[in-house]
Amino acid sequence: MNRDANREAKRELNVPGIAYGGDYNPEQWPEEVWAEDVRLMREAGVNMVSVNIFAWALLEPREGEYDFSRLDKILALLHENGIAADLATPTAAPPAWFFVKHPEALPVDKDGRTLSYGSRQTFCPSSPAYREAALRIARVLGERYADHPAVVMWHIHNEYGCHNGECYCDTSAAAFRVWLREKYDDDLAALNHAWGTTFWSQWYYDWDEIIPPRPTGAVPNPTHQLDWRRFCSDALLSLCKAEREVLLEASPSTPATTNFMVMYNFDKLDYWRWAPELDIVSNDHYLQSTDPESEIDIALSGDLVRSLAGGPWLLMEHSTGAVNWQPVNRAKTVGEMRRNALSHVARGADGIAYFQWRAAKAGAEQWHSAMLPHAGTDSQIWRDVVRLGADLRSLAEVRGSEGVAEVAIVWDWSAWWAVELPSQPSEKLRFQDLVRAWYEPLWRSGVAVDFVRPDADLSAYKLVLAPSLYLVDDAGAANLTGFAEAGGTLAVGFHSGAVDENCHVRLGGYPGAFREALGVRTDELFPLLPGESVGLSDGGTAELWSERVALAGAEAVTSYTSGPLTGVPAVTRHAHGTGTAWYLATRPDPATLASLLHRIRAEAGVEPVRSTPDDVEAVLRRGPDADYLFLINHGDSPAEIEVAPDAVELLTAKAIATDGTSATVLVTPGEVAVVREPR
């Protein structure tokens, strides 16, 4: 097989059933602890652990000198006990000697400060010295352990961009210019046009005049900032691909992954560009302590990661209890850890892993929870870990099954970056908040959702939602409006379609690229002040945004009843081709938005996967011979859910009582049921 074909072929993880484990860092402990570790792993049902993530300084104590004795013992011990290894390249934390020799590889922040080594990811992504050292250690590892029986997957780096998503040093500036020359075909005039540099006398006459968007006296050029974000994502992706290539040469049949961070507080990388480069997509997800309904964030993240993967994926990290990096680190309540994990499985995770196996007694993450906590096995966390291991063994047959959705939500990282640039009509626009506001009513209704790029194949969907698509290119806009024209239902949120891929405003009235398909034209935007709201004709209220919409073929569904736009349409509906296009020109209150989205999806013919009470989450995975219905009760009351008469509840292995024509399963508060329904 040639290398290109080899890269395109996705390699599968050779671990039976659902993978279960966590980050294992035995180098933090004396060797006599290791035997107890693997004994307890077996007790908990652990079948795969990630090793070597932060061991570079121990593996390579001096440049070019290696000591694999410790890692050899660890891998042998794991293999002897039937535990597979996800072997990491330790490149997220270069050793101190590297920075002493190469201080130029240290990152520089936006304010021009050179950061010191002494933690992790304190390197410049564009540093030639770092790349050389990282590829060297990756190559040595790949060649040494390519055929090791314990190694089932390569774990490239760790959380790319978590702490060094942007570096503003001169090396990065030079790499940025190289990236720009490639993007703009070495045509400086094309860059000047794309960036609109006639504004404020920013015209460039030489590539060397271009620098990163460092702090300046006024607002930086928006397209300059946007291209910088794209470059920073690609710079880190280049490192990941380079390590992947080294490992592929050494071990052509072993799958590789790197852990994404699709979660509420990370926006550095365009994962649509990253996902195709990996055999297996994996993700790290942690709860936000201040989120009263963090189960919604878990669901949104899981649906997005499944969409990135195009199918099943791995949860590489989450927490058994509290994390250590938020202002207040809340412990999980009884049953919460289990519900969290099984929610990820419901949304496509074929592996559940934690940071970390054994809680550290020293170091920056000593107060981060673990599978084996400081209190040891006489603890609630340990009992929950053992119970979850048994649950996952019961769900082995679920592996490989896929999600089924008739609704897609458009998600685009460039649109996210662009809408949150300075000098918007309102600085209160937050991409994730806008998307979650639309996602939440669907989640509550048990409606399955995929996420898509603007240019994705939409033929499998009945309804496509674009809650926040400020930036969209012509091809993406045509794809979305063509979906409606061909019979689909499209719903678009305010301030979408406003600019093209270069952040140039689409002239002629808003919402720009979607104006014709939506049958409306806005000539003026009226963002609302913090705390300000306006009434709606359906009895609801709206906040954050309003605009002066004129009908150009659409019908008004809801209008403003107060404020300067009284009587002006706030929500419209338009027949476009053989389909329907809706426009929400404001942000309705949650109940009003939920009612509106219920009407939109009902008209589109979209039904929930199962009818459930408000606090019971219903998710479906589809296998070749059966459906797997996950029912997660987040509420305080028991719920009976109708299921197929020949169903079996997998966590208890019990057939469900039936009268032959109908059956129900009882899900008590805080519990989970997973029901196999044969087809």
Side-chain angles (χ1 to χ4, degrees), residues 511-576:
F514 301 116
R515 193 171 60 235
E516 180 180 345
L518 296 173
V520 298
R521 182 179 181 274
T522 293
D523 74 328
E524 190 78 26
L525 305 175
F526 286 77
L528 302 176
L529 297 173
E532 183 181 9
S533 64
V534 292
L536 298 175
S537 59
D538 57 11
T541 60
E543 60 179 6
L544 185 66
W545 192 270
S546 63
E547 53 189 64
R548 188 161 53 210
V549 172
L551 301 178
E555 60 176 303
V557 175
T558 303
S559 300
Y560 301 107
T561 59
S562 64
L565 301 181
T566 297
V568 171
V571 178
T572 64
R573 182 180 184 277
H574 183 231
H576 182 61

Side-chain angles (χ1 to χ4, degrees), residues 232-539:
C232 290
S233 176
D234 280 358
L236 287 163
L237 177 56
S238 173
L239 290 173
C240 181
K241 289 167 65 175
E243 286 198 33
R244 178 70 188 100
E245 189 70 21
V246 164
L247 296 170
L248 187 63
E249 291 174 357
S251 182
S253 61
T254 304
T257 190
T258 190
N259 41 342
F260 292 174
M261 289 179 288
V262 177
M263 52 190 290
Y264 68 92
N265 64 344
F266 187 77
D267 70 343
K268 298 298 184 185
L269 307 179
D270 181 350
Y271 285 130
W272 289 122
R273 290 178 60 81
W274 283 65
E277 302 297 333
L278 302 171
D279 297 302
I280 298 168
V281 168
S282 62
N283 190 53
D284 294 354
H285 185 273
Y286 292 96
L287 306 186
Q288 183 178 12
S289 291
T290 56
D291 186 347
E293 293 184 298
S294 55
E295 60 269 22
I296 301 174
D297 187 59
I298 290 175
L300 191 157
S301 172
D303 283 339
L304 179 51
V305 178
R306 185 191 66 249
S307 302
L308 289 164
W313 52 282
L314 300 179
L315 182 68
M316 191 62 71
E317 285 185 29
H318 66 321
S319 65
T320 57
V323 297
N324 72 310
W325 40 265
Q326 298 181 26
V328 176
N329 295 293
R330 182 182 67 82
K332 292 187 178 182
T333 57
V334 175
E336 187 176 3
M337 187 195 96
R338 182 172 183 255
R339 291 193 302 276
N340 292 168
L342 295 180
S343 178
H344 286 295
V345 175
R347 297 182 184 276
D350 276 356
I352 296 294
Y354 292 91
F355 180 84
Q356 56 180 325
W357 162 252
R358 182 183 283 269
K361 65 178 182 179
E365 294 180 294
Q366 66 192 93
W367 291 110
H368 194 292
S369 61
M371 299 177 77
L372 183 60
H374 292 139
T377 57
D378 185 13
S379 61
Q380 186 61 50
I381 281 181
W382 175 252
R383 289 186 284 274
D384 289 344
V385 163
V386 174
R387 183 187 183 193
L388 179 59
D391 287 337
L392 296 177
R393 288 194 297 274
S394 299
L395 298 180
E397 67 181 82
V398 174
R399 176 176 172 168
S401 57
E402 302 197 354
V404 179
E406 295 178 326
V407 178
I409 294 179
V410 182
W411 181 288
D412 184 76
W413 270 273
S414 282
W416 179 355
W417 297 333
V419 78
E420 296 185 12
L421 289 173
S423 297
Q424 283 284 341
S426 171
E427 67 174 12
K428 299 300 182 181
L429 300 183
R430 292 292 178 266
F431 177 86
Q432 285 209 77
D433 292 346
L434 297 172
V435 172
R436 175 162 164 167
W438 286 41
Y439 177 88
E440 182 175 332
L442 301 172
W443 177 85
R444 293 191 186 282
S445 299
V447 174
V449 171
D450 285 341
F451 286 87
V452 294
R453 298 165 52 130
D455 59 353
D457 179 2
L458 304 175
S459 59
Y461 305 106
K462 293 180 179 179
L463 172 62
V464 173
L465 308 175
S468 181
L469 197 60
Y470 168 69
L471 176 150
V472 63
D473 62 17
D474 290 345
N479 187 50
L480 294 169
T481 57
F483 167 77
E485 188 173 3
T489 299
L490 173 69
V492 177
F494 61 83
H495 208 34
S496 293
V499 300
D500 65 14
E501 67 274 20
N502 294 318
C503 272
H504 292 197
V505 174
R506 295 179 180 274
L507 304 179
Y510 319 117
F514 301 116
R515 193 171 60 235
E516 180 180 345
L518 296 173
V520 298
R521 182 179 181 274
T522 293
D523 74 328
E524 190 78 26
L525 305 175
F526 286 77
L528 302 176
L529 297 173
E532 183 181 9
S533 64
V534 292
L536 298 175
S537 59
D538 57 11

Side-chain angles (χ1 to χ4, degrees), residues 42-62:
R42 294 181 65 173
E43 180 180 328
V46 167
N47 58 7
M48 185 178 77
V49 292
S50 297
V51 294
N52 201 53
I53 292 176
F54 296 116
W56 192 346
L58 299 178
L59 287 182
E60 191 178 8
R62 286 165 294 281

Side-chain angles (χ1 to χ4, degrees), residues 7-251:
R7 185 186 297 108
E8 292 169 4
K10 298 293 185 181
R11 297 149 191 81
E12 296 184 358
L13 180 63
N14 185 23
V15 173
I18 305 294
Y20 183 45
D23 286 14
Y24 183 38
N25 300 293
E27 64 273 9
Q28 297 176 8
W29 301 92
E31 190 170 340
E32 55 265 26
V33 175
W34 301 354
E36 180 189 23
D37 282 334
V38 295
R39 178 182 65 80
L40 291 174
M41 286 178 190
R42 294 181 65 173
E43 180 180 328
V46 167
N47 58 7
M48 185 178 77
V49 292
S50 297
V51 294
N52 201 53
I53 292 176
F54 296 116
W56 192 346
L58 299 178
L59 287 182
E60 191 178 8
R62 286 165 294 281
E63 184 174 9
E65 298 181 20
Y66 303 101
D67 180 0
F68 293 107
S69 58
R70 181 183 290 102
L71 185 55
D72 287 347
K73 290 179 182 179
I74 292 165
L75 292 176
L77 181 63
L78 291 172
H79 182 61
E80 289 165 7
N81 286 271
I83 300 166
D86 167 36
L87 182 56
T89 60
T91 52
W97 62 255
F98 170 79
F99 292 111
V100 171
K101 184 173 183 178
H102 297 286
E104 78 282 2
L106 289 167
V108 174
D109 71 10
K110 195 169 188 175
D111 294 321
R113 297 178 304 164
T114 299
L115 304 182
S116 176
Y117 61 91
S119 61
R120 64 178 187 174
Q121 290 185 329
T122 49
F123 63 85
C124 166
S126 299
S127 163
Y130 169 78
R131 176 181 287 253
E132 180 182 354
L135 295 186
R136 184 176 64 244
I137 190 70
R139 181 174 291 106
V140 171
L141 275 169
E143 292 172 351
R144 184 176 184 87
Y145 296 111
D147 300 316
H148 196 289
V151 177
V152 295
M153 184 165 62
W154 298 113
H155 185 308
I156 303 172
H157 199 79
N158 184 74
E159 295 183 337
Y160 274 105
C162 183
H163 303 288
N164 63 342
E166 298 173 78
C167 173
Y168 292 81
C169 72
D170 290 340
T171 299
S172 293
F176 182 40
R177 289 189 286 270
V178 171
W179 183 90
L180 290 169
R181 294 183 80 146
E182 181 176 351
K183 176 178 180 180
Y184 292 103
D185 295 324
D186 210 24
D187 185 346
L188 194 54
L191 177 140
N192 278 302
H193 172 74
W195 287 16
T197 56
T198 52
F199 189 83
W200 278 0
S201 188
Q202 293 174 346
W203 191 272
Y204 296 104
Y205 289 93
D206 191 288
W207 291 100
D208 287 340
E209 296 169 0
I210 300 172
I211 58 175
R214 296 165 176 152
T216 186
V219 178
N221 182 308
T223 319
H224 184 179
Q225 295 177 82
L226 181 60
D227 269 351
W228 170 253
R229 296 296 299 270
R230 290 164 170 160
F231 156 74
C232 290
S233 176
D234 280 358
L236 287 163
L237 177 56
S238 173
L239 290 173
C240 181
K241 289 167 65 175
E243 286 198 33
R244 178 70 188 100
E245 189 70 21
V246 164
L247 296 170
L248 187 63
E249 291 174 357
S251 182

